Amino acid sequence: MKKLHLLIFILFTFHISINAQSYFGYTFDNYSGIHGITLNPANIVDSPFKADINLISGSGFLGSDYFGINVQDALKSDSGFDFDSDMEKFPKDDNNFFFNFDVLGPSFMFNINKKSSIGLTTRVRVFLNVNNINGELYESLSNGFDETTDFNFDIKDFNGTVHAWGEVGLTYGRILIKNEYNLLKGGITLKSLQGVGSTFFSAPTVTGQYDASANTLTTTGNLNYGLSQEDFDDDDLEFKNLTAGFGADIGFAYQWNEKNNLIVADSIIPRFTKYKLKIGVSITDIGSINYKESELTAYDLNATVDAGSFDEDGSDQALEDNYNGVTTIASTKIRLPTALNVLVDYKIKSKLYVSFATSMSLVSNNTETANSIINTVSVAPRLETKWFSIYSPISFRQYGDFAWGAGLRFGPLTVGSGAVLTNLLSDSSKTTDVYVGLKIPIYRKYK
């Protein structure tokens, strides 16, 4: 738990105002180009682009069932945002925290011929998952145990993983079936992964009591705490001594066309098929990174300690000073946040579409040394043209949160958020996100 409560606090207070399960809403757009293949690599083929070049894009997503924020009150406050006064808290026995930051660097895609396309993507990603932490204990760690009342806690299957890595992906897509009314295409992205590092921890069972009058913390159980390498610091990421790994995305998309619309089998000019209905299915982030010299420490938590030491020394130093630990060097495999994505996109009329989408984690939140996405179901109407799109996704997200967002694509510039409207209107939002991107689109020429 190396500076765990401080890390979560920093992530929230910094990214709440600038920060999406990546590019939420934008990837549904037929004109999302290189961004669309991060959701489903089959999107690379039969697109409206001759080529699409991403210059730089950034996306972030933060969520928890521990806190909720009233953005209006925070904006109205003369003193600015304050974590303690502007945050509504919902402590329970098994609170969860999630953070995802995704930077899409210089990337491109282009058509090889009328049936095949290829692309290259570069990304830097940071994921944080903390699962099943007692909210009252977390709050006490954050506040330095300045509680005035006693409390007990009983934690089951507590675990967390912070992981940062880079990736270079090579995507290939091909039209598999194409006739007057039907089109089936598939795609795959093979990824060369470069692990920056990871902090991870787990405890099957931890029980304890806090005695306010004596300011002592009594605990029972065991905690496993690890670093991907001895000198890794999740508060100061350094892109050196990288560890190689392998990953992949795979996807398919079926399109049904009400009419023979821009499908000419013998045409020498690749053409974008304007469908009536599209159904896409993909599995993303298959793979892992194996850190061969991880530092693993098993702590015996059966002790009574001065709670003030957590405030004075920080969680990592307090663990080392107050509990017996055995450290070993071993190999640790950190799994990527593998997810199943399904998209159903229906054209209501010319230029007006509605998408039904879901992203579901294929990694259980009880899995150790792994990251996972937040499960999301959404409906997203959009107005889509060549140079301009506007969309407004409505989502139901894990942790019981409802999110309503908005996004805009105007030529090379894209900005949006899957939760901006609920963040502004809700009394207590539990998730927040934002994204921005700049690219060079080169559209196809039509006859």
Side-chain angles (χ1 to χ4, degrees), residues 26 29 385-391 407-415 437-439 441 443:
Y26 176 44
D29 189 345
T385 69
K386 182 177 181 180
W387 287 100
F388 174 84
S389 290
I390 186 169
Y391 34 88
L408 172 69
R409 175 183 60 84
F410 188 75
L413 178 65
T414 299
V415 294
L438 186 64
K439 61 163 60 179
Y443 297 108

Side-chain angles (χ1 to χ4, degrees), residues 49-64:
F49 296 98
K50 182 177 181 180
D52 190 38
I53 304 168
N54 179 73
L55 300 177
I56 187 69
S57 303
S59 168
F61 186 110
L62 177 71
S64 176

Side-chain angles (χ1 to χ4, degrees), residues 38-103:
T38 64
L39 177 69
N40 187 336
N43 290 334
I44 195 173
V45 68
D46 192 60
S47 79
F49 296 98
K50 182 177 181 180
D52 190 38
I53 304 168
N54 179 73
L55 300 177
I56 187 69
S57 303
S59 168
F61 186 110
L62 177 71
S64 176
D65 56 1
Y66 169 76
F67 56 71
I69 181 175
N70 188 321
V71 176
Q72 292 190 55
D73 288 349
L75 293 175
K76 293 176 183 177
S77 174
D78 294 334
S79 58
F81 178 79
D82 181 78
F83 183 80
D84 291 320
S85 62
D86 294 330
M87 192 80 67
E88 186 177 0
K89 300 171 185 176
F90 306 93
K92 57 180 185 176
D93 290 337
D94 55 353
N95 284 124
N96 304 274
F97 294 85
F98 169 87
F99 174 74
N100 164 24
F101 185 62
D102 186 345
V103 174

Side-chain angles (χ1 to χ4, degrees), residues 238-256:
E238 296 184 8
F239 289 78
K240 62 180 183 179
N241 300 323
L242 302 177
T243 300
F246 177 78
D249 302 339
I250 187 169
F252 297 89
Y254 165 76
Q255 297 176 189
W256 175 71

Side-chain angles (χ1 to χ4, degrees), residues 296-316:
L296 310 178
T297 304
Y299 288 103
D300 180 358
L301 301 183
N302 296 291
T304 298
V305 302
D306 178 9
S309 63
F310 286 88
D311 184 35
E312 296 171 1
D313 304 327
S315 300
D316 54 337

Side-chain angles (χ1 to χ4, degrees), residues 127-131 157-165 197-203 224-228 285 287-291 294-297 330-338 363-372:
F127 258 79
L128 176 147
N129 293 98
V130 179
N131 304 309
D157 297 320
F158 168 59
N159 68 86
T161 303
V162 184
H163 192 200
W165 74 96
S198 176
T199 300
F200 46 91
F201 38 86
S202 63
N224 300 312
Y225 170 70
L227 299 173
S228 55
D285 289 322
S288 62
I289 298 177
N290 188 20
Y291 294 93
S294 300
E295 183 181 83
L296 310 178
T297 304
S331 176
T332 302
K333 183 180 294 185
I334 308 296
R335 288 183 57 184
L336 299 185
T338 311
V363 179
S364 167
N365 64 1
N366 292 328
T367 304
E368 299 178 10
T369 63
N371 289 118
S372 59

